[in-house]
Amino acid sequence: MESPDRLTVLNPTGFAPKITRKELAARLDTLDGKTVYLVDCRFDDSDVFLKQLQAWFAEHMPAVKTVFKPISSVYLKDDPVTWKEIQARGDAAIVGVGH
Amino acid sequence: MTIEATYGVPTVALHTDKFDRVVRAVAAQNGMPGLRQAFVPQPVMGKTAAELRAYIDGRDPITKRPVMQEVIEGLTRPPAEGDPAAVEFDRSTPRLVEPDTEENLHRLFLERDWTDKLPIILPTEERVAAMLAATRRRPDEVVGHMRPTHFREAWEYTVEKVAVNAVMAGAVPAYFPVILALAATGVSARGSSSSSLATMAVVNGPVRHEIGMNVGTGALGPHNHANATIGRAYGLLSQNLQGGSVPGITYMGSMGNNYAYNSVTFGENEERSPWEPFHVQHGLAPGDSAVSVFTGCRSTAFTLGLREKYWREHVRNLLRGLDPHTPPTLLLDPITAHQFIDRGGFGKKEALIDWLYGAATMPAGEYWDYQLVQNYIYPRATFGEEPWASKLQAAPDALIPMFRREDIHVVVVGGETNGYWRIMGCTYQTTCSVDEWR
């Protein structure tokens, strides 16, 4: 029985959706000879950053083909056209720069 | 996550280090706790190419390993043995908190980040029941969904959950339909943007006087119980019903925002306004009660009155002081509302808004160079969205509108102790009926 100096109160938090675990895509054995898309989220000079990343690959891993690819609009919008292009023509993706 | 999970492309996401906890939390909530992520120092914005190259050549500030090692391994290293396969987790929480003393419960609510760090009223079953009696809606009826930002999961909430937060804020049952209407907008008053935005809530119609809201002297300040606690309830319900507003995890506002304490909540002074009330402009009848919400409240400009000779220039100066990403809503004391009619002949709000739209211009080169325009408007312009796509054609020196006309608004509030007025930089979101929640 509840003691008189103990209160019962309601939990103020909302209802969290269930989490459905998703598996990662299969990783590549090597990047050599592969096409890596550098996906520019078009936020806070991310294009300048990714072009430097592209330069790094050219210097250090020239066997990797990189494609600089800005998303079609703002990062707030899904961009299935770009995602399908990467799926069809790319082997991997690096997305940046999130903050 | 979309590229990885939906399109099956191995992906590494690069972020700045200040966001490590939030991006890991978002990945986990989306069912991908093992998502490959690497980090570089903050900020990226404004750094030279050479400085950014140094980030890439340097170490990940979180793991202390070379950034490019993290990136390459993220694309090539197979998932670790024992990584769980697809599975579903239920995160239901009990309706009641474990009974405890009043002192301990206050401490618990504070420690769990369920408050705005000010004392709250504990939501006992009796208090919540009294709140629920102020609406005909069922306690288990779903009111809506809310999230801190667009990329986070949306949480669901019921009438009872809103009532719990209304009690905590110190609201009385008569205010509950307004609070439910705010919850029904689905617009969070605890947005997580790094820009530290807050919301503004404007109440119109008979409910303002039924519950004693202040529309006159001091309406925007801490001088009225309804204004204060309805606004506070909006903030508390937002943080608790959307899954939190904790710095570094579910709140990333760099500086924070004092407006968030009560979400700039007030009633329009319809009786002293020379124009149509705000809710009538948005499709409701004058006898309806409604609440309208605006987001992105950060910037405020002010001045006194409208001088005969240079009032146009003075208004332009205020408008030019705003970031063009965030449009203006004029908050006019009735004295100034009448002055706008005397000086400019603006017999209707629409006429004043037309003039403001024409007055708020800047050279195209300056406009496109604003960081927030680059982040949020330029990409849409290049995607072909109007009116921004056409603005892109303007020569750098050509004057172009800073804002879209439909984003400029006017609200009358204040007690006529003087003709001070303000421009709140904010974006109108929606107007929600209060009567539907009585």
Side-chain angles (χ1 to χ4, degrees), chain B residues 361-400:
Chain B
T361 60
M362 69 167 47
E366 284 182 36
Y367 174 86
W368 290 112
D369 195 47
Y370 270 87
Q371 186 68 59
L372 285 172
V373 172
Q374 280 287 309
N375 286 359
Y376 291 106
I377 299 178
Y378 179 71
R380 298 174 72 168
T382 58
F383 192 59
E385 274 192 60
E386 295 292 356
W388 302 296
S390 295
K391 283 186 184 180
L392 264 183
Q393 308 306 317
D397 293 337
L399 293 176
I400 62 172

Side-chain angles (χ1 to χ4, degrees), chain B residues 205-416:
Chain B
V207 74
R208 293 167 304 137
H209 298 307
E210 291 165 13
I211 61 176
M213 288 192 80
N214 185 4
V215 303
T217 304
L220 273 68
H223 311 289
N224 176 275
H225 191 261
N227 295 25
T229 58
I230 290 170
R232 187 187 187 203
Y234 184 25
L236 289 176
L237 73 88
S238 295
Q239 70 185 60
N240 289 325
L241 303 182
Q242 73 181 6
S245 185
V246 179
I249 302 174
T250 40
Y251 181 79
M252 294 305 292
S254 190
M255 299 171 72
N257 193 325
N258 225 273
Y259 288 156
Y261 277 109
N262 96 318
S263 298
V264 197
T265 300
F266 62 90
E268 186 170 27
N269 194 341
E270 298 174 25
E271 292 72 17
R272 294 295 301 155
S273 169
W275 299 312
E276 208 171 38
F278 190 84
H279 70 313
V280 177
Q281 291 180 279
H282 292 84
L284 281 87
D288 293 340
S289 293
V291 63
S292 303
V293 294
F294 302 71
T295 56
C297 296
R298 292 160 291 224
S299 53
T300 314
F302 97 103
T303 193
L304 173 58
L306 295 174
R307 299 285 292 169
E308 183 177 3
K309 190 174 179 182
Y310 284 112
W311 68 269
R312 295 174 189 80
E313 289 76 11
H314 296 162
V315 176
R316 279 194 192 100
N317 290 343
L318 294 186
L319 292 165
R320 284 289 296 271
L322 300 175
D323 188 293
H325 167 258
T326 309
T329 291
L330 274 61
L331 303 180
L332 302 180
D333 190 276
I335 289 175
T336 316
H338 287 280
Q339 265 201 317
F340 267 110
I341 295 174
D342 296 341
R343 299 289 192 220
F346 305 120
K348 294 187 172 181
K349 273 186 187 175
E350 295 302 315
L352 172 56
I353 291 169
D354 283 340
W355 182 83
L356 292 163
Y357 171 70
T361 60
M362 69 167 47
E366 284 182 36
Y367 174 86
W368 290 112
D369 195 47
Y370 270 87
Q371 186 68 59
L372 285 172
V373 172
Q374 280 287 309
N375 286 359
Y376 291 106
I377 299 178
Y378 179 71
R380 298 174 72 168
T382 58
F383 192 59
E385 274 192 60
E386 295 292 356
W388 302 296
S390 295
K391 283 186 184 180
L392 264 183
Q393 308 306 317
D397 293 337
L399 293 176
I400 62 172
M402 292 173 64
F403 312 106
R404 296 189 304 180
R405 188 201 172 283
E406 62 265 35
D407 291 334
I408 302 172
H409 300 283
V410 176
V411 176
V412 177
V413 62
E416 301 176 74

